[in-house]
Amino acid sequence: MQNRLTDPFELKKYISISESEEKDFDRLEKFFSFGVTPYYLSLIEKENPNCPIRLQVVPRNDELQHAEYEKLDPLAEDENMPVKGLTHRYPDRALWYLSHHCAVFCRFCTRKRKVGSSFETPISEDRENALSYLRSHSEIKEVILSGGDPLSLSDDRLIEIIRSLKNISHINHIRIHTRYPVTLPFRITKEFSEKLKEFFPIFLVTHFNHSRECTDDAKKAIENLVKHGGVIVLNQSVLLKGINDSIDELAKLNYSLVNMGVKPYYLHQCDEVFGSKHFKVSIEKGIELMKQLRGFHSGITIPNYVIDLTGGGGKIPLPTDYLKKTDTLSYEFENFKGKKFNILK
Ligand SMILES: *Cc1c(COP(=O)(O)O)cnc(C)c1O
Ligand code: SF4
C-alpha cells in the first residue's frame, strides 16, 4: 500500500501515456482520486492503450462527460442510511461501509463520491452506532462488510468487528465484499485466512472483471481463503465496454474464476454513476451475451446478470426470455440452441 502510485503523472514512467491523456489528469483528480498498486500496474500491457487492466485504472477524459441520467449516488445509498455508514435497503440484510479506502481506485466505481476521501473515513463512534442498530434490528440476517474496501482495515480491527457481529444471535451469516484478491492479493495472507476460520461460514465476494486478473498471485490468495479460512468465495463482475463485453472474454473469465475455486455470482450492468458512459454496454447486448453463455458453458461458470436500479430500486435480474408463449394448456420454451419445445401445463 505504501508503494502505491497516487500521482497519475508518474504513470508515464511505467506505461505509455499520450499528451492528450495527460492534459486532463489534474481536472480528473478533482472528481475521483487516482491510485494503483505496483502489482496491479504490472499487469498493464505497456504499449496497449486498450489494455483491459489499464482501462480500469488510468483516468480518461471521458470521465469528465456527465450524461444527464448519471448521478453522484446512483443507488441512493446515502438516503437509505438509518445510521451513518450503514445502508439498509433490503429487509433482511444490511450493507456496512467499514472503510472508504481501496488498494486501487476503479474508474467506474459506484461510490467514487466518497471512496478515497479522508473526510469519509468512519470513526469508532460510527462503528458503535452501526453495531447498536444491527443489534436492535432482529430482522437483519446478513451483514455485508463493504466500503471502499473493508480489507483496508487491519486484521485485528476486522476480526474484532466480525466477532461482534457473530455475537448477535439473529445474524445468520457474514459476507465480505473486497477487491484485494484482484488488486493486492498479498493482503490475503495465510495468517489472515486462518483467523477467519473460527467464524465459518464466511462468504467473501470479490471483484474480478477480466481473465488477465486471474494470476498465480490471485490464485494463491483464493487458495489461502478457501484452504486455510474455510471461506466460500464468490465473484461479482461489472459488464464493461472494451474490457469484458465479448462472449470469448466472459467465458474465459468465468472459467478462470472457477479454476481458482471462485463461483461467479453476479454480472452487473454498470451503475449510472457520473462519468461512466464510456463503460456502458447496452442491456440488450448484455442479455444476448448471457444467452450465449447459458447451455454452452458449465452452469457453475454462469453468473446472474443484474441491474441495480438508479434511484435506489435495488437489484433485479435481467432475464433471458426462454419462456416464449403461454396459453391455457401449455408453455412454449426456446432452448439455448433456438429450438422450440411445448410443455403441457
Ligand atoms: C447489493 C446489495 C446488497 C446485497 O444484495 P444480494 O442480492 O443479496 O447480493 C445488500 N444491500 C445493498 C444496499 C446492496 O446494494
Ligand atoms: S475496489 Fe470497489 S469500492 Fe474500491 S474503487 Fe474499486 S469498485 Fe470502488
Side-chain angles (χ1 to χ4, degrees), residues 32 102 104-106 108-110 115 147-149 179 207:
F32 186 37
C102 301
V104 163
F105 296 127
C106 317
F108 46 83
C109 181
T110 300
V115 161
D149 203 307
R179 213 178 176 204
H207 179 176

Side-chain angles (χ1 to χ4, degrees), residues 28 58-66 107 112 274-275 278:
L28 283 157
V58 176
R60 267 189 284 177
N61 16 34
D62 291 331
E63 291 169 33
L64 297 169
Q65 313 273 327
H66 293 173
R107 307 317 298 174
K112 57 166 90 159
F274 266 174
H278 54 294

Side-chain angles (χ1 to χ4, degrees), residues 75 77 80 86-90 92-97 111 142 144 173 175 177 205 236 265-266 268 271 306 308 314-316:
L75 310 182
E77 291 173 325
N80 291 289
L86 197 88
T87 297
H88 188 188
R89 182 190 325 283
Y90 301 103
D92 75 346
R93 52 213 189 277
L95 195 69
W96 190 6
Y97 314 102
R111 302 194 184 122
E142 180 184 52
I144 301 168
H173 60 275
R175 191 195 313 187
H177 277 189
V205 182
Q236 48 185 356
Y265 174 49
Y266 277 147
H268 287 268
D271 291 335
V306 294
D308 218 332
K315 288 184 196 64
I316 56 162

Side-chain angles (χ1 to χ4, degrees), residues 216-311:
D216 289 343
D217 292 316
K219 194 168 179 166
K220 184 85 189 78
I222 305 295
E223 227 177 274
N224 281 342
L225 288 166
V226 175
K227 291 192 181 163
H228 300 293
V231 175
I232 297 143
V233 186
L234 308 170
N235 184 70
Q236 48 185 356
S237 301
V238 184
L239 184 59
L240 296 165
K241 193 175 184 169
I243 294 175
N244 57 17
D245 61 336
S246 73
I247 190 65
D248 289 348
E249 179 45 41
L250 277 182
K252 201 169 165 192
L253 166 64
N254 290 326
Y255 271 97
S256 305
L257 287 166
V258 171
N259 182 261
M260 297 197 298
V262 178
K263 164 78 186 100
Y265 174 49
Y266 277 147
L267 175 66
H268 287 268
Q269 178 66 11
C270 190
D271 291 335
E272 295 181 318
V273 66
F274 266 174
S276 64
K277 198 172 70 184
H278 54 294
F279 285 118
K280 193 173 178 165
V281 178
S282 75
I283 291 177
E284 289 88 336
K285 181 168 181 187
I287 289 177
E288 194 46 44
L289 288 166
M290 288 306 295
K291 241 181 150 161
Q292 292 172 43
L293 289 179
R294 173 65 67 188
F296 296 98
H297 299 290
S298 159
I300 293 176
T301 66
I302 298 176
N304 297 305
Y305 180 36
V306 294
I307 180 168
D308 218 332
L309 298 171
T310 303

Side-chain angles (χ1 to χ4, degrees), residues 46-269:
K46 291 185 175 51
E47 302 300 333
N48 178 6
N50 298 318
C51 165
I53 310 299
R54 175 195 179 107
L55 295 179
Q56 293 184 60
V57 288
V58 176
R60 267 189 284 177
N61 16 34
D62 291 331
E63 291 169 33
L64 297 169
Q65 313 273 327
H66 293 173
E68 114 197 38
Y69 56 80
E70 288 175 351
K71 302 262 186 301
L72 211 52
D73 178 12
L75 310 182
E77 291 173 325
D78 296 344
E79 288 165 37
N80 291 289
M81 217 177 247
V83 287
K84 194 173 170 213
L86 197 88
T87 297
H88 188 188
R89 182 190 325 283
Y90 301 103
D92 75 346
R93 52 213 189 277
L95 195 69
W96 190 6
Y97 314 102
L98 289 184
S99 156
H100 285 109
H101 212 61
C102 301
V104 163
F105 296 127
C106 317
R107 307 317 298 174
F108 46 83
C109 181
T110 300
R111 302 194 184 122
K112 57 166 90 159
R113 68 186 182 279
K114 55 186 180 182
V115 161
S117 153
S118 53
F119 299 112
E120 297 284 351
T121 302
I123 55 170
S124 62
E125 193 186 323
D126 299 333
R127 286 201 199 106
E128 279 313 313
N129 290 340
L131 270 175
S132 307
Y133 181 88
L134 294 168
R135 282 191 192 104
S136 60
H137 285 258
S138 57
E139 73 277 21
I140 296 176
K141 294 195 171 67
E142 180 184 52
V143 179
I144 301 168
L145 306 180
S146 185
D149 203 307
L151 264 60
S152 298
L153 301 185
S154 69
D155 286 7
D156 288 349
R157 180 58 56 76
L158 204 60
I159 296 297
E160 181 193 317
I161 290 168
I162 295 174
R163 180 162 290 120
S164 309
L165 291 172
K166 272 285 178 183
N167 285 335
I168 304 175
S169 62
H170 55 262
I171 290 177
N172 186 66
H173 60 275
I174 293 165
R175 191 195 313 187
I176 301 173
H177 277 189
T178 174
R179 213 178 176 204
Y180 273 85
V182 186
T183 54
L184 186 58
F186 320 105
R187 167 72 183 87
I188 319 287
T189 58
K190 182 167 170 256
E191 293 69 34
F192 171 64
S193 305
E194 279 167 349
K195 288 178 196 162
L196 293 174
K197 196 156 200 163
E198 174 190 349
F199 307 107
F200 180 88
I202 293 277
F203 291 80
L204 185 143
V205 182
T206 183
H207 179 176
F208 288 86
N209 286 328
H210 194 275
S211 55
R212 290 201 39 225
E213 295 168 338
C214 302
T215 62
D216 289 343
D217 292 316
K219 194 168 179 166
K220 184 85 189 78
I222 305 295
E223 227 177 274
N224 281 342
L225 288 166
V226 175
K227 291 192 181 163
H228 300 293
V231 175
I232 297 143
V233 186
L234 308 170
N235 184 70
Q236 48 185 356
S237 301
V238 184
L239 184 59
L240 296 165
K241 193 175 184 169
I243 294 175
N244 57 17
D245 61 336
S246 73
I247 190 65
D248 289 348
E249 179 45 41
L250 277 182
K252 201 169 165 192
L253 166 64
N254 290 326
Y255 271 97
S256 305
L257 287 166
V258 171
N259 182 261
M260 297 197 298
V262 178
K263 164 78 186 100
Y265 174 49
Y266 277 147
L267 175 66
H268 287 268
Q269 178 66 11

